[in-house]
Amino acid sequence: MSEATSQKIPVTVLTGYLGAGKTTLLNRILSENHGKKYAVIVNEFGEIGIDNDLIIGADEEVFEMNNGCICCTVRGDLVRIMDGLMKRKGKFDAIIVETTGLADPAPVAQTFFVDEDVQKNARLDAVVTVADAKWLSDRLKDAPEAKNQIAFADVIVLNKTDLVTKAELAEVEARIRAINPYAKLHRTERCSVALADVLDRGAFDLDRILDIEPDFLNADDHDHDHHHHDGHDHHHDHGHGLKHYHDEDMQSLSLKTDKPLDPNVFMPWLQNLVQVEGGKILRSKGILAFHDDDDRYVFQGVHMMLEGNHQRKWKDGEPRQSRLVFIGRELPEELIRTGFESCIVS
Amino acid sequence: MKEFTPAPDSTSIVSVTDRVKPVTLGMGVTAVHFLGPRAAFVGAEENVAFVDSQGEIGTVAVHSGGILSVASDGKRLVMGGDDGKVVSLDPKGEVTLLATDPKRRWIDAVALHPDGAFAWSAGKTAIVKSGKEDEKSIEVPSTVGGLAFAPKGLRLAIAHYNGATLWFPNMAGSAEFLPWAGSHLGVTFSPDNKFLVTTMHESALHGWRLADNRHMRMTGYPGRVRSMSWSAGGKALATSGADSVILWPFASKDGPMGKEPAMLAPLQARVSVVACHPKNDIFAAGYSDGTVLMVRLEDGAEILVRRNGTPPAAAIAWNAKGTLLAFADENGDGGLLEL
């Protein structure tokens, strides 16, 4: 992590549908003996059971940026609050932004990419989504907001697992995975998750986009063997235990190649893709191996916003493999695959 | 002004850095105003530090938290804090509590009228208190970005998302909405009461000619404009946000419509604060690399007040007579210059 990055204050975005347990998790974070001080931006005052000077009430105000990009929205209230909070730099170690149950996480995340002043002082750490094991399956059917929050998440706290049967739990997990196979998933009762699993995740840190394998391939709470995931058919090729769903409108798409990419073709393609399809693409990430380039290139994006950089030299013996992940709604899969393949140096 | 004697050629720059009385405040600073003979440096949190011409420092506690907003008329400061309080500070250092938000919300913006009326905002509500009259409040469609009183009459401009609202607090139903897409943060009236200008979340200013609400788009900044200052007599509006001071012409009845701004004092750093001299056509500007310059409007001639190599300049102000200049960087290192 660069020095400038490490000095920026980490911001955790806490989302989750109404009643999932956001406030429970927040209270846990604040009451645990971690020796850290958090500035907390909440929507409803009074639900937090902890005395803390740095609890700030916010009205979620979603502002469009005047840059001709319709999906480029920011949280105007956050811009203002971050500005005020910076006057108290040194009085807190991290910031937690709790959104309302019906919020789209994108404007919050975009605030940290678009606003120059916010970006100078703070960095988005991760989007943590609390989900209700009992009701999430229903909400995914009738509440687009709930689906957005799952799709956007870096960490999913699947809460209230004590209120469902094993079969119901398997079902809700499978539904989550159909939308977002990449988030870290933690099953909890009363949000009892280790704080290290939700805070300081570095999910938006380019230097830490090391592992973009689907989470369930790495999860140590599964005891069965996995074969490696192939790029051409996404997350429904392993028939072991878990039921598999294909969410009708929200999916993820992963692409992979062992052949080098042509940066002069790939970059314009990616930029054009997010310009044209950015409304549908919620999150994107990639590790890239370019032709005639000994450096790994990493990028990530939120809707139309992209940031990327040469990260480090490829190590000796490390396979120079390019991997991309898109999570979004009605992703034009064939178009993306064909476009990606045209970037491969033949 | 006799003191302003730049070098005759452009290759060298006259420096008055050795005449600056250094000030070390040991606190983050966000603004400075003169109250009587003393400079009042407003801290990022809790305190205001008075500095007299001898460099003597006296600190006064004003808020129990961050100081979010400040306005001054030269006779007092009015400040709003994240403790939900509106307080005033007089030149003797006396603090008066003016108002407390019942929900302890942040006081995001304050404004001060020449006749002593003051205004503040919390969330979407702006409130005016004038003399012994009851407080009057107005709700705008989104959180208030900035407040400014018109130079004449009791009229308040409220900047918010998608425009600004003009309001006569003593006249029911008088709110007039001036629309312009985007988020408006700071706001100022021209001294002749003819124009209203806002700073936007985007790197731009927006203006309205109040006679006919005609729009003035003032764009092209590389960064957000955080500091604006009217030149003596209101002939120009000097602004931060670029690597030179951008001055928009306001001398004619059309203001800057169809005109190019003047761009003075370019450096390899972003202008962070600007303050025009109250009487002469001179301004002082502070930069993101800590440099402070005095600049003549007429020809852009510069005098160096402080060298670069420090945190960004965060506060700059002249006293009412224009004989003293005070400045400080973000960390509270600054100085006083007597002219």
Side-chain angles (χ1 to χ4, degrees):
Chain A
M1 202 189 297
S2 67
E3 201 181 326
T5 309
S6 63
Q7 283 168 355
K8 291 183 183 183
I9 296 167
V11 180
T12 302
V13 178
L14 192 56
T15 73
Y17 205 70
L18 305 165
K22 287 189 304 282
T23 307
T24 311
L25 180 57
L26 194 52
N27 276 325
R28 270 185 54 80
I29 293 171
L30 294 178
S31 57
E32 203 139 306
N33 187 17
H34 40 55
K36 286 202 170 170
K37 193 143 182 170
Y38 293 94
V40 187
I41 301 167
V42 295
N43 280 278
E44 281 125 280
F45 260 136
E47 287 189 35
I48 310 291
I50 311 292
D51 265 345
N52 184 329
D53 311 340
L54 288 170
I55 290 182
I56 303 115
D59 287 320
E60 284 182 353
E61 293 184 323
V62 176
F63 290 178
E64 277 171 35
M65 300 292 290
N66 278 346
N67 56 7
C69 154
I70 44 150
C71 63
C72 185
T73 49
V74 300
R75 280 271 303 271
D77 57 314
L78 264 186
V79 172
R80 176 180 58 85
I81 289 169
M82 290 298 298
D83 206 42
L85 270 179
M86 286 312 130
K87 303 198 170 185
R88 307 199 71 186
K89 249 196 260 183
K91 294 281 175 3
F92 54 91
D93 308 291
I95 296 171
I96 300 170
V97 183
E98 184 199 27
T99 71
T100 60
L102 298 173
D104 174 5
V108 186
Q110 290 175 157
T111 305
F112 293 87
F113 289 101
V114 168
D115 189 82
E116 187 189 352
D117 296 284
V118 172
Q119 211 178 19
K120 199 169 71 191
N121 295 308
R123 61 173 177 86
L124 194 54
D125 185 67
V127 176
V128 177
T129 299
V130 184
D132 183 326
K134 189 156 176 64
W135 295 110
L136 182 71
S137 295
D138 288 350
R139 292 297 79 78
L140 290 178
K141 289 174 204 152
D142 63 15
E145 298 89 353
K147 199 177 272 187
N148 254 342
Q149 292 164 355
I150 294 294
F152 220 90
D154 298 293
V155 177
I156 295 169
V157 177
L158 186 56
N159 193 31
K160 307 191 187 178
T161 52
D162 50 330
L163 303 183
V164 294
T165 64
K166 261 195 158 164
E168 286 170 321
L169 186 61
E171 158 139 3
V172 71
E173 280 190 27
R175 289 196 182 276
I176 289 172
R177 288 317 189 187
I179 296 167
N180 183 344
Y182 300 96
K184 295 280 175 214
L185 192 146
H186 303 281
R187 303 166 184 159
T188 66
E189 297 168 18
R190 285 169 289 283
C191 289
S192 58
V193 62
L195 293 192
D197 287 334
V198 289
L199 299 173
D200 217 5
R201 304 293 309 163
F204 286 85
D205 185 345
L206 280 178
D207 278 352
R208 283 163 71 172
I209 302 184
L210 300 174
D211 182 10
I212 51 174
E213 292 302 325
D215 179 54
F216 53 77
L217 293 182
N218 312 310
D220 46 20
D221 55 353
H222 290 242
D223 55 4
H224 39 245
D225 252 345
H226 297 281
H227 59 271
H228 208 270
H229 213 56
D230 276 324
H232 57 264
D233 51 353
H234 50 102
H235 62 75
H236 38 73
D237 62 338
H238 36 101
H240 32 58
L242 285 178
K243 263 195 272 180
H244 284 282
Y245 289 93
H246 193 97
D247 194 272
E248 313 78 63
D249 60 355
M250 192 78 88
Q251 319 91 30
S252 67
L253 173 59
S254 79
L255 304 161
K256 186 163 71 173
T257 180
D258 293 316
K259 298 179 193 138
L261 299 172
D262 181 345
N264 297 319
V265 182
F266 178 84
M267 290 303 207
W269 169 73
L270 179 66
Q271 258 147 23
N272 183 61
L273 177 68
V274 300
Q275 276 309 304
V276 177
E277 304 290 347
K280 296 177 184 164
I281 300 169
L282 272 64
R283 298 278 300 263
S284 56
K285 287 182 189 189
I287 299 173
L288 308 169
F290 287 132
H291 182 60
D292 274 345
D293 189 342
D294 285 334
D295 286 342
R296 268 163 65 122
Y297 190 91
V298 291
F299 82 91
Q300 64 166 326
V302 171
H303 285 306
M304 294 192 190
M305 253 161 278
L306 284 176
E307 63 168 13
N309 218 335
H310 283 97
Q311 183 199 19
R312 62 162 169 82
K313 292 243 177 300
W314 288 99
K315 289 177 192 149
D316 288 342
E318 182 180 20
R320 296 195 178 191
Q321 188 181 60
S322 294
R323 283 174 294 159
L324 274 77
V325 170
F326 296 95
I327 296 177
R329 177 175 282 118
E330 290 156 10
L331 292 175
E333 183 170 341
E334 267 322 297
L335 182 100
I336 295 177
R337 285 192 188 284
T338 320
F340 176 67
E341 269 148 34
S342 70
C343 303
I344 295 170
V345 177
S346 49
Chain B
M1 191 165 108
K2 282 199 291 289
E3 292 82 357
F4 197 92
T5 38
D9 62 276
S10 58
T11 52
S12 64
I13 180 167
V14 167
S15 167
V16 293
T17 52
D18 56 341
R19 285 172 46 197
V20 171
K21 194 178 293 293
V23 173
T24 306
L25 298 164
M27 64 177 193
V29 166
T30 58
V32 60
H33 296 276
F34 276 89
L35 285 181
R38 296 196 289 174
F41 289 90
V42 181
E45 39 185 0
E46 294 173 8
N47 297 321
V48 171
F50 282 107
V51 180
D52 70 15
S53 57
Q54 301 308 305
E56 204 65 33
I57 300 172
T59 300
V60 183
V62 292
H63 282 285
S64 59
I67 305 172
L68 301 175
S69 46
V70 58
S72 174
D73 58 2
K75 298 188 278 273
R76 63 175 172 161
L77 301 185
V78 170
M79 287 163 282
D82 66 12
D83 55 2
K85 292 188 167 120
V86 184
V87 303
S88 74
L89 176 69
D90 76 3
K92 290 185 203 125
E94 194 160 316
V95 180
T96 310
L97 177 65
L98 300 177
T100 305
D101 184 81
K103 290 187 219 152
R104 203 179 173 271
R105 289 178 300 174
W106 286 15
I107 309 299
D108 295 312
V110 292
L112 196 43
H113 192 275
D115 77 2
F118 57 91
W120 71 95
S121 73
K124 296 171 186 166
T125 310
I127 300 153
V128 168
K129 173 88 176 126
S130 175
K132 293 202 165 25
E133 287 180 52
D134 289 340
E135 288 172 6
K136 298 199 171 66
S137 70
I138 185 172
E139 183 133 325
V140 290
S142 63
T143 299
V144 175
L147 297 171
F149 279 108
K152 285 180 210 148
L154 191 65
R155 189 181 206 192
L156 187 69
I158 304 155
H160 49 83
Y161 184 52
N162 282 346
T165 296
L166 289 171
W167 176 50
F168 290 104
N170 289 333
M171 218 186 284
S174 70
E176 180 189 357
F177 177 51
L178 305 178
W180 186 256
S183 178
H184 300 260
L185 299 172
V187 59
T188 180
F189 281 91
S190 63
D192 63 7
N193 213 10
K194 289 187 174 140
F195 301 96
L196 186 74
V197 179
T198 59
T199 60
M200 297 194 66
H201 180 227
E202 286 90 346
S203 302
L205 303 180
H206 194 76
W208 291 267
R209 183 164 68 183
L210 294 175
D212 53 8
N213 290 355
R214 269 189 67 180
H215 293 284
M216 299 177 288
R217 300 179 63 174
M218 291 168 269
T219 58
Y221 291 89
R224 198 197 290 173
V225 180
R226 288 178 164 265
S227 178
M228 299 189 279
S229 176
W230 292 97
S231 72
K235 282 177 284 190
L237 180 64
T239 59
S240 70
D243 59 2
S244 57
V245 175
I246 308 294
L247 292 116
W248 296 95
F250 276 86
S252 79
K253 66 174 172 48
D254 290 334
M257 288 180 217
K259 298 192 189 84
E260 293 285 313
M263 298 162 72
L264 300 181
L267 285 186
Q268 302 283 348
R270 189 78 60 83
V271 177
S272 50
V273 282
V274 60
C276 291
H277 190 278
K279 292 178 175 158
N280 301 84
D281 285 339
I282 292 167
F283 63 83
Y287 292 74
S288 58
D289 65 356
T291 306
V292 175
L293 296 175
M294 285 193 294
V295 184
R296 191 159 61 196
L297 265 79
E298 184 192 354
D299 57 0
E302 301 162 11
I303 290 178
L304 183 68
V305 179
R306 186 199 207 212
R307 276 180 213 293
N308 62 3
T310 61
I316 197 159
W318 299 89
N319 67 347
K321 288 183 196 151
T323 54
L324 279 169
L325 176 71
F327 59 88
D329 65 27
E330 285 179 356
N331 288 358
D333 291 320
L336 284 177
L337 174 67
E338 198 164 353
L339 295 172

